[in-house]
Amino acid sequence: MAEALWIGRSSAATDRDDHALWELRTVRANAGGTGVSTMGLDGPGPRVPLTDNSLWESGANGLVDGPGAYLGGAPLWEPRPDWQAPSLADALPWEPETKTPTSTMQLGDSPLWEPLTNGRPGVGVTDLESAPLWEPNVDVATEGPGLFLDGVSLPFVEERAPDASGVADASASGGLSLASVGRLAVRTYLGARRAAGDPRLTGVLRAAPSVASFIARSRTRSAEAAIDDTVVPVRTTPVLALQAYLDEVLIAVLRHPELLPKESDCTSAAADLERLRALFAREGWIDRPAEYHRDPPPPYDIETWEEHRSGMGYERAAFSSGWEPHPLEPGWTRWMAHEANQTVHAWVSRVPGRHHRSWLVCAHGLGMGNNPAMDLRAFRASQLGRRGINVVVPVLPLHGPRATGRSRGEDLMTIDMVDSMHGVAQAAWDVRRIIRWLREEQGAEQVGVIGYSLGGLVASIVAALEDDLACVIAGIPVVDLPHLVRRHSPPDIARLAGTSGVLGPAADDVHRVVSPLAMDCRVPLERRFIFAGLADRMSTFGHARRLWLHWDRPAFESYPGGHVGFFWSAAVKRFVDEALRRSYTNAAAA
């Protein structure tokens, strides 16, 4: 180590920029032999390898009769020789100015702490095992900010007279004062109280009981499968319980305290919901929710360019969304303030070689949209390319490059059910614009849609608004956002939401315009597909079952796993492959 963070100069200056508490100790050769001296970074004399010297010692004269003798005899660092060791009698933790011009302890231009000594100039710490290396500045006046810290005592060393060798004995004889112990106890209590109120911790603690309750209910429902053909029996295994537990833990971790609403948030959100419900009722959109959605034109300003990331080449597309809430809707100004959200980004993976006219539009889940390579791999773009199917993954509103604050989409899943409704409606609009771009400018002959989780909700809505889709595949779908928010809200937030009415009937009525359960699917029955996890604790198996019943019981696949377990499920892979084989008529896709 040739240099230190702070290196003092050879002069005893009081300016902090030119004076350090410690300086580098070097060895300088001279005509009479090798001697030990202290010097700054710019000091004279050649340096010798550090292997000839010890790292630390106590004395400033280079002798090896102190604790440094145990380390070899010479320190890398030592106290500055011009430093004066003051008395400990009137020590305070810190002081704004000094009483003598020789001290380096002015608050404005020097360190707040200095090395502990035994009170004799030129002699360093003599007992490293029993004394702290640092102590508060003790050269203080009778006035100053230090007086406000009365009652605070740091670990100190009792001064003792020098022994026969002339070296003082310093041993620890003090400790924390009663006031410091009290402050430490208060800080510990407040920290424990904050931890106990953290929804992430309480969620993790509730994970195991929640899984136990889920297993018990699953066994009860499985017994009903013999008399109810809409019930899927669940074989409760340790692996199933583990995946359910991991889902519960992940849900708990996502409950960041900063995302939890306050009472004022719930009150204003509930007021917006009531006004919006009145508007929707007047326009007839609650009874005819599909009419809320306007038919979008193809994008007119789309730009594309090649990119490469994480070993995967793809094409990036960007265009203006063009979607906005109806002018009279509450929350219009708030939603349009998300400027980055007004540009749609999409990752495109084309089949190499000859031109292929089969496309699959993929709607990702909550928290995705940040990594193009990861998103494309999640939808198995390479495998689909070998089947002759091009893939496009649009980034959903308030995700990835479209986010204005948090990048994981949390702004889309808040207690403000007006914002969440606007986000899902815009997502459906953006996907439909991409479908028009594929058909009118890319020569697409067949376009299907697939979605995971939140993307399953978007894909299901698009299937209720678009004609002539090759297929719709809803994976682990969410179909009822108000229900999902109610289920995952911590108990205190659920009570607050119930009192304010923000998750009451008004939320259900408003969200009918973005609920696939309130609209008819336009895709033929034989090209509708759903898969879900039996141990899914996020969107839950119940959401998929409700969609399956509403869609007149199309092809359905369940797997014994949690929310993200389908990534590793061979049954789901075979199910999706079969869905694509049955839906796409060209030979390559089949």
Side-chain angles (χ1 to χ4, degrees):
M1 179 175 179
E3 298 180 359
L5 182 59
W6 282 2
I7 300 296
R9 303 187 186 278
S10 58
S11 61
T14 59
D15 182 68
R16 182 172 182 176
D17 293 333
D18 295 328
H19 192 77
L21 187 57
W22 299 90
E23 66 181 4
L24 183 67
R25 186 175 180 84
T26 63
V27 177
R28 182 177 59 198
N30 52 44
T34 301
V36 180
S37 64
T38 56
M39 60 188 299
L41 183 63
D42 54 350
R47 309 206 176 180
V48 301
L50 294 178
T51 54
D52 294 338
N53 309 287
S54 65
L55 293 180
W56 300 90
E57 71 173 6
S58 60
N61 56 4
L63 298 178
V64 294
D65 55 352
Y70 297 102
L71 296 175
L76 180 62
W77 300 91
E78 66 175 7
R80 287 193 61 86
D82 61 345
W83 177 80
Q84 300 295 324
S87 172
L88 298 174
D90 57 349
L92 286 176
W94 60 287
E95 180 63 36
E97 61 183 7
T98 61
K99 294 187 293 186
T100 63
T102 59
S103 172
T104 63
M105 292 290 102
Q106 291 187 358
L107 185 63
D109 58 1
S110 62
L112 296 179
W113 299 88
E114 62 187 6
L116 181 65
T117 69
N118 59 5
R120 296 185 60 196
V123 181
V125 178
T126 61
D127 190 352
L128 294 178
E129 294 182 355
S130 59
L133 294 179
W134 301 89
E135 69 175 1
N137 181 21
V138 295
D139 188 13
V140 299
T142 58
E143 298 179 352
L147 297 180
F148 292 99
L149 299 175
D150 56 323
V152 177
S153 175
L154 297 174
F156 63 89
V157 176
E158 182 182 24
E159 294 181 278
R160 295 189 179 182
D163 56 19
S165 65
V167 180
D169 178 26
S171 60
S173 61
L176 294 175
S177 69
L178 182 60
S180 295
V181 173
R183 288 181 174 87
L184 179 60
V186 170
R187 287 195 296 269
T188 302
Y189 167 75
L190 293 176
R193 185 175 179 180
R194 283 194 297 271
D198 192 321
R200 293 168 294 188
L201 176 61
T202 55
V204 170
L205 294 177
R206 292 192 184 103
S210 178
V211 171
S213 176
F214 160 71
I215 295 297
R217 293 195 306 271
S218 297
R219 288 173 176 169
T220 302
R221 284 195 297 265
S222 296
E224 301 173 358
I227 58 176
D228 186 351
D229 62 355
T230 67
V231 174
V232 179
V234 179
R235 181 172 176 265
T236 56
T237 64
V239 174
L240 185 79
L242 177 60
Q243 291 204 39
Y245 178 77
L246 293 177
D247 273 5
E248 292 285 356
V249 171
L250 182 58
I251 293 169
V253 171
L254 293 177
R255 291 172 178 163
H256 196 285
E258 294 181 1
L259 301 178
L260 297 182
K262 302 178 178 62
E263 183 175 0
S264 57
D265 298 329
C266 292
T267 301
S268 61
D272 283 350
L273 275 174
E274 290 296 340
R275 292 196 296 270
L276 195 60
R277 178 167 68 168
L279 173 64
F280 283 9
R282 186 169 62 250
E283 297 293 335
W285 294 330
I286 294 178
D287 297 327
R288 302 180 301 278
E291 295 180 4
Y292 173 80
H293 301 271
R294 294 155 288 178
D295 290 331
Y300 61 88
D301 59 349
I302 192 167
E303 297 181 0
T304 61
W305 60 95
E306 298 292 332
E307 289 188 352
H308 192 277
R309 183 170 179 177
S310 302
M312 175 177 286
Y314 60 92
E315 184 179 303
R316 183 165 183 164
F319 59 91
S320 300
S321 170
W323 186 90
E324 62 181 60
H326 292 269
L328 297 179
E329 290 186 41
W332 184 94
T333 302
R334 182 173 62 250
W335 188 256
M336 297 306 294
H338 297 290
E339 295 184 3
N341 185 54
Q342 297 175 23
T343 299
V344 181
H345 299 262
W347 328 127
V348 181
S349 176
R350 296 179 184 270
V351 178
R354 63 187 180 88
H355 182 65
H356 291 269
R357 300 180 182 276
S358 297
W359 287 82
L360 185 65
V361 181
C362 308
H364 63 73
L366 182 71
M368 298 175 67
N370 297 289
N371 188 318
M374 183 179 296
D375 294 341
L376 289 168
R377 288 191 174 101
F379 289 98
R380 300 192 297 133
S382 297
Q383 293 89 328
L384 293 179
R386 289 194 290 268
R387 299 177 65 93
I389 301 177
N390 302 298
V391 171
V392 55
V393 183
V395 178
L396 298 187
L398 300 185
H399 284 70
R402 304 183 65 178
T404 54
R406 296 174 289 269
S407 63
R408 296 182 300 179
E410 289 97 337
D411 289 322
L412 193 62
M413 299 292 289
T414 68
I415 200 68
D416 193 330
M417 302 307 294
V418 172
D419 274 2
S420 61
M421 184 274 295
H422 285 157
V424 175
Q426 183 174 14
W429 166 280
D430 294 340
V431 169
R432 296 174 71 196
R433 290 201 79 184
I434 286 177
I435 292 174
R436 278 159 175 69
W437 172 63
L438 296 176
R439 286 173 172 167
E440 298 185 16
E441 297 186 25
Q442 300 300 307
E445 296 177 352
Q446 290 181 296
V447 180
V449 292
I450 184 174
Y452 300 154
S453 190
L454 178 64
L457 171 63
V458 176
S460 301
I461 296 171
V462 171
L465 301 173
E466 284 292 317
D467 294 318
D468 299 327
L469 288 177
C471 65
V472 54
I473 305 173
I476 53 173
V478 174
V479 297
D480 188 343
L481 275 181
H483 173 269
L484 194 72
V485 175
R486 291 188 198 104
R487 184 185 186 280
H488 293 312
S489 294
D492 54 339
I493 300 302
R495 288 190 294 269
L496 181 60
T499 302
S500 64
V502 72
L503 291 177
D508 294 323
D509 289 344
V510 166
H511 270 256
R512 282 181 58 83
V513 301
V514 289
S515 172
L517 303 179
M519 295 178 277
D520 295 329
C521 183
R522 297 187 182 185
V523 178
L525 178 64
E526 64 274 13
R527 298 205 297 271
R528 305 173 190 172
F529 306 91
I530 304 172
F531 66 83
L534 294 171
D536 190 344
R537 309 304 298 145
M538 291 188 176
S539 57
T540 75
F541 187 83
H543 279 240
R545 181 176 179 272
R546 292 171 65 186
L547 182 64
W548 177 66
L549 293 174
H550 178 70
W551 277 2
D552 298 326
R553 304 186 184 187
F556 186 90
E557 180 66 36
S558 61
Y559 63 93
H563 191 67
V564 297
F566 74 92
F567 281 112
W568 303 277
S569 172
V572 169
K573 182 179 181 298
R574 288 192 299 268
F575 177 76
V576 173
D577 288 344
E578 178 62 18
L580 297 176
R581 189 192 66 80
R582 290 165 53 182
S583 301
Y584 288 86
T585 58
N586 64 76

